[in-house]
Amino acid sequence: MRTLYSAMFLLTFGVSAASAATIEMKVNGLVCGFCAQGIEKTLRKNPATADVLVSLEDRLVAVATKEGQDISDADLKHALTESGYEVKAIQRTATPLEDLRAHLVKKAHE
Amino acid sequence: MNRFLRCASSAPVLLAACVPLSTFAKPIAFAQGTTVMAEYGAGTMRELQVFYAPRYFFSLGLGHLALDSDIDARSRDFTYARLNYLVKRWNLESAQANIFSWGSLGSATTGTDSGGRLAWNAGAQFDYETRWVYGSLKSDYYSSSAFNHRIDTLQLGVAPYAHDYATLATWFVVQARRYTGQIHEGTEVAFLLRLFKRGAWIEAGPTTDGHIQAMFMFNF
């Protein structure tokens, strides 16, 4: 039974690299929307990318990956470094990018 | 006055030429990005630049600089190929600072020349930026057998609100610029309103002499 609960928990909240809905990256130097344009452009070139969200307020770059696809940490760091920025942390979550976007918009209006 | 009218009328033309493209704020926008910039410098200088950045730390491109002297009434025109290089970048938690340098080689004419002569340029820029404050110091040196000039530009800016990636950024900027080499006496001070969103940037405002200072930049 415990195994079943664990499996259900993982299915509900757990995230593996292969099934990640959203990859969130904390990025240093992210102060100018004009300059962060390059990050979005670079990440959208990756064939596994479905959508990109950039938040200067949260120093956040989030990538939604296509169903069943992932982008490795090495590729993400390479993309950000090649855009001239520095990744401080990478986290995979099950939160859909649209929910994250809505949350940030709501937070900005509070 | 004629010069003012001529340049004021050319600004919309430059903008119209650039709008279908997209541009930048620094001499290097981002890897595999193209930058188009047009500046109208208060009746003293006009510059148009187009750069392409193969990598995030360098870009290559072409430009044209026109200087109209307030002192000897001569014009200086410099058409050049330029290499921009990001010497150092500091990515801090809530700020970024950069040192850029560049070098140009091209052909220059003065108002009395019938043909072009070899000219070169070297320059550097230091900038520091948060989402609330901005400062940059830029120095450009131009040399040919007919002239030597240096143009030093200091900009200090504050934002009335912290913009985000998808929102319009607004900045109030004070610019001070000095020219050497018989171009302009004293310091030219301008009060600029800067607006940018995504890849489009525009800034404009009056100088204390009553001229218009304006810049348009697009990244794509």
Side-chain angles (χ1 to χ4, degrees), chain A residues 9-104:
Chain A
F9 179 84
L10 281 172
L11 282 170
T12 309
F13 301 105
V15 182
S16 71
S19 63
T22 303
I23 305 168
E24 298 180 18
M25 291 174 279
K26 283 287 181 186
V27 179
N28 270 8
L30 204 57
V31 293
C32 165
F34 198 66
C35 314
Q37 187 191 3
I39 293 177
E40 181 179 13
K41 189 176 175 181
T42 301
L43 289 170
R44 285 192 186 278
K45 284 180 185 169
N46 192 303
T49 299
D51 197 5
V52 178
L53 169 67
V54 177
S55 168
L56 306 184
E57 174 70 28
D58 295 271
R59 301 189 294 117
L60 174 74
V61 176
V63 183
T65 52
K66 290 176 182 169
E67 188 71 33
Q69 297 190 44
D70 186 41
I71 305 172
S72 70
D73 286 8
D75 285 349
L76 291 166
K77 284 181 180 171
H78 180 74
L80 271 289
T81 303
E82 279 302 297
S83 299
Y85 292 85
E86 184 184 354
V87 181
K88 299 306 286 184
I90 300 176
Q91 179 188 4
R92 287 170 166 77
T93 75
T95 308
L97 194 69
E98 278 313 310
D99 290 1
L100 183 59
R101 184 175 278 127
H103 169 72
L104 293 176

Side-chain angles (χ1 to χ4, degrees), chain B residues 127-184:
Chain B
D127 59 61
Y128 174 84
E129 182 176 12
T130 73
R131 294 170 68 212
W132 292 96
V133 296
Y134 163 81
S136 76
L137 178 63
K138 182 170 83 167
S139 187
D140 255 310
Y141 183 76
Y142 299 89
S143 183
S144 80
S145 57
F147 58 75
N148 294 294
H149 304 297
R150 205 178 78 235
I151 306 174
D152 298 325
T153 307
L154 173 69
Q155 286 195 337
L156 298 171
V158 293
Y161 59 91
H163 74 288
D164 216 307
Y165 183 51
T167 60
L168 177 73
T170 302
W171 288 83
F172 301 115
V173 178
V174 177
Q175 173 177 295
R177 177 173 281 166
R178 289 184 69 90
Y179 297 86
T180 67
Q182 297 288 301
I183 295 294
H184 180 83

Side-chain angles (χ1 to χ4, degrees), chain B residues 178-199:
Chain B
R178 289 184 69 90
Y179 297 86
T180 67
Q182 297 288 301
I183 295 294
H184 180 83
E185 283 288 351
T187 303
E188 214 175 60
V189 178
F191 299 96
L192 308 170
L193 174 65
R194 173 180 297 170
L195 304 170
F196 60 84
K197 184 176 180 181
R198 301 279 179 168

Side-chain angles (χ1 to χ4, degrees), chain B residues 1-202:
Chain B
M1 188 62 178
N2 281 343
R3 183 191 304 150
F4 171 75
L5 290 173
R6 187 180 73 225
C7 294
S9 63
S10 68
V13 174
L14 287 173
L15 177 60
C18 295
V19 161
L21 308 170
S22 203
T23 309
F24 83 86
K26 292 166 177 155
I28 307 166
F30 48 78
Q32 297 172 38
T34 300
T35 295
V36 179
M37 183 196 79
E39 180 174 4
Y40 173 68
T44 308
M45 66 89 83
R46 285 157 288 142
E47 190 165 36
L48 179 65
Q49 296 175 318
V50 181
F51 296 122
Y52 174 74
R55 302 285 300 278
Y56 78 94
F57 56 85
F58 80 97
S59 66
L60 299 156
L62 301 171
H64 180 84
L65 172 72
L67 295 168
D68 294 320
S69 172
D70 288 346
I71 298 166
D72 61 15
R74 283 197 309 159
S75 63
R76 284 88 161 162
D77 285 85
F78 179 36
T79 303
Y80 56 83
R82 174 172 290 181
L83 170 67
N84 297 298
Y85 183 70
L86 174 61
V87 178
K88 177 72 178 170
R89 169 168 289 171
W90 292 269
N91 281 313
L92 310 173
E93 189 170 305
S94 301
Q96 187 185 80
N98 300 282
I99 296 175
F100 294 98
S101 68
W102 52 84
S104 312
L105 200 60
S107 174
T109 58
T110 65
T112 54
D113 279 350
S114 56
R117 64 188 74 211
L118 184 69
W120 62 272
N121 150 254
Q125 174 180 316
F126 172 76
D127 59 61
Y128 174 84
E129 182 176 12
T130 73
R131 294 170 68 212
W132 292 96
V133 296
Y134 163 81
S136 76
L137 178 63
K138 182 170 83 167
S139 187
D140 255 310
Y141 183 76
Y142 299 89
S143 183
S144 80
S145 57
F147 58 75
N148 294 294
H149 304 297
R150 205 178 78 235
I151 306 174
D152 298 325
T153 307
L154 173 69
Q155 286 195 337
L156 298 171
V158 293
Y161 59 91
H163 74 288
D164 216 307
Y165 183 51
T167 60
L168 177 73
T170 302
W171 288 83
F172 301 115
V173 178
V174 177
Q175 173 177 295
R177 177 173 281 166
R178 289 184 69 90
Y179 297 86
T180 67
Q182 297 288 301
I183 295 294
H184 180 83
E185 283 288 351
T187 303
E188 214 175 60
V189 178
F191 299 96
L192 308 170
L193 174 65
R194 173 180 297 170
L195 304 170
F196 60 84
K197 184 176 180 181
R198 301 279 179 168
W201 163 305
I202 181 171

